[in-house]
Amino acid sequence: MELNLVMLGPPGAGKGTQARQLRRRWNIPHISTGAMLRDAVQAGTPLGREVASIMESGGLISDDVITRVVTERLAEPDTRKGFLLDGYPRTIPQAEALDRLVAGRAPLIIIEIVLSEAEVVRRLASRMVCAECGTNAVGEGTQCYDCGGPLVPRADDREQVVINRLKVYHEQTQPLVDYYGRRATYCRVDGARLPDDVTADIIAQVEERASKLTA
Ligand code: AP5
Ligand code: MG
């Protein structure tokens, strides 16, 4: 069946980390708006030039611009069996736009990853990413596990920017917990555990919700 998943959660909650496991489990594309925008910035496209300074400050780019990007991506044939959205929607207007976009498709299954602010700050202060491909570093090495590129801090992980990203999350994104929270397809997981334990919890909850949709 079609699995249309949305990951919610503060910066550093582990959305990207979990998505990398989950896309293999269900063989659906991982659509990270943050990664798409970072690629556009690195490539110097018109979109990248438009959003670079906003991303660097930890603000949100406009609902219209990001919804256009997502609309085009969800029209690709590889999403026919489902998709795993990471970083979209982030505002109520984006959530309303997504509901319109998926009308007539399988219902959205929402995964909220819960993590305290203290843990967010701790994780992002030490995160390293590949300067070439953007993948999070794993372990202690100095080179990317995937492509061998050099590891650097992510541009928006400076402490002041993380504080702003958290503020933006509380003001603009957390209302989505209420927007989606009463749906029967809402899943909530504790993100403060070992990554494999978080993955197992997500898989169990999502497959339970999905089985009820087909019943
Ligand atoms: P985006 O890239 O989406 O960033 P974010 O939401 O701030 O989230 P992160 O990617 O920092 O965290 P994550 O939850 O993916 O955690 P991760 O798995 O990496 O957005 C970036 C920017 O793009 C936005 O600020 C905005 O400007 C713009 N943007 C994007 N989408 C937009 C939209 N829809 N509208 C408007 N603007 C938009 O993990 C973090 C760290 O923790 C890693 O080091 C990881 O190894 C570690 N970790 C993960 N899980 C665990 C665990 N279980 N235990 C211990 N450590 C863990
Ligand atoms: Mg991420």
Side-chain angles (χ1 to χ4, degrees):
M1 73 166 285
E2 187 183 343
L3 262 189
N4 296 335
L5 308 179
V6 169
M7 308 198 79
L8 272 185
K15 302 181 294 293
T17 302
Q18 292 303 319
R20 271 185 286 281
Q21 304 303 322
L22 299 172
R23 74 174 174 206
R24 279 200 284 272
R25 167 87 184 183
W26 294 308
N27 198 23
I28 51 177
H30 169 205
I31 302 175
S32 162
T33 46
M36 291 165 86
L37 294 170
R38 281 186 290 278
D39 287 348
V41 170
Q42 197 160 15
T45 65
L47 172 67
R49 288 198 297 275
E50 185 181 337
V51 303
S53 63
I54 300 171
M55 291 181 75
E56 209 169 304
S57 70
L60 294 185
I61 70 161
S62 81
D63 291 334
D64 288 349
V65 168
I66 195 67
T67 295
R68 200 172 63 229
V69 170
V70 171
T71 302
E72 282 172 15
R73 184 64 187 85
L74 291 184
E76 298 282 332
D78 67 338
T79 69
R80 263 184 225 138
K81 288 228 160 99
F83 52 78
L84 178 49
L85 273 174
D86 161 6
Y88 184 95
R90 251 181 160 91
T91 65
I92 297 282
Q94 290 180 23
E96 291 169 346
L98 180 61
D99 276 337
R100 288 192 294 273
L101 263 175
V102 300
R105 300 180 66 160
L108 296 172
I109 296 178
I110 319 299
I111 305 158
E112 182 197 354
I113 305 181
V114 179
L115 196 70
S116 71
E117 283 205 7
E119 182 62 13
V120 165
V121 169
R122 198 188 66 74
R123 281 187 190 177
L124 297 188
S126 60
R127 169 166 60 183
M128 300 291 277
V129 299
C130 177
E132 304 286 340
C133 72
T135 304
N136 281 342
V138 184
E140 299 294 314
T142 55
Q143 284 182 316
C144 175
Y145 184 81
D146 278 354
C147 76
L151 299 177
V152 294
R154 205 169 97 178
D156 60 353
D157 280 348
R158 282 179 295 120
E159 192 181 352
Q160 280 312 309
V161 180
V162 169
I163 290 168
N164 192 38
R165 284 160 65 197
L166 277 167
K167 180 168 173 277
V168 168
Y169 176 77
H170 289 305
E171 289 173 0
Q172 308 223 45
T173 308
Q174 218 163 21
L176 297 183
V177 171
D178 282 335
Y179 181 86
Y180 289 123
R182 276 182 293 278
R183 296 189 187 185
T185 52
Y186 196 82
C187 311
R188 169 178 285 204
V189 301
D190 172 9
R193 295 174 291 168
L194 291 174
D196 286 350
D197 294 342
V198 179
T199 307
D201 191 359
I202 293 174
I203 288 172
Q205 292 199 46
V206 167
E207 292 188 350
E208 194 258 343
R209 303 299 191 282
S211 70
K212 286 192 180 145
L213 291 176
T214 51

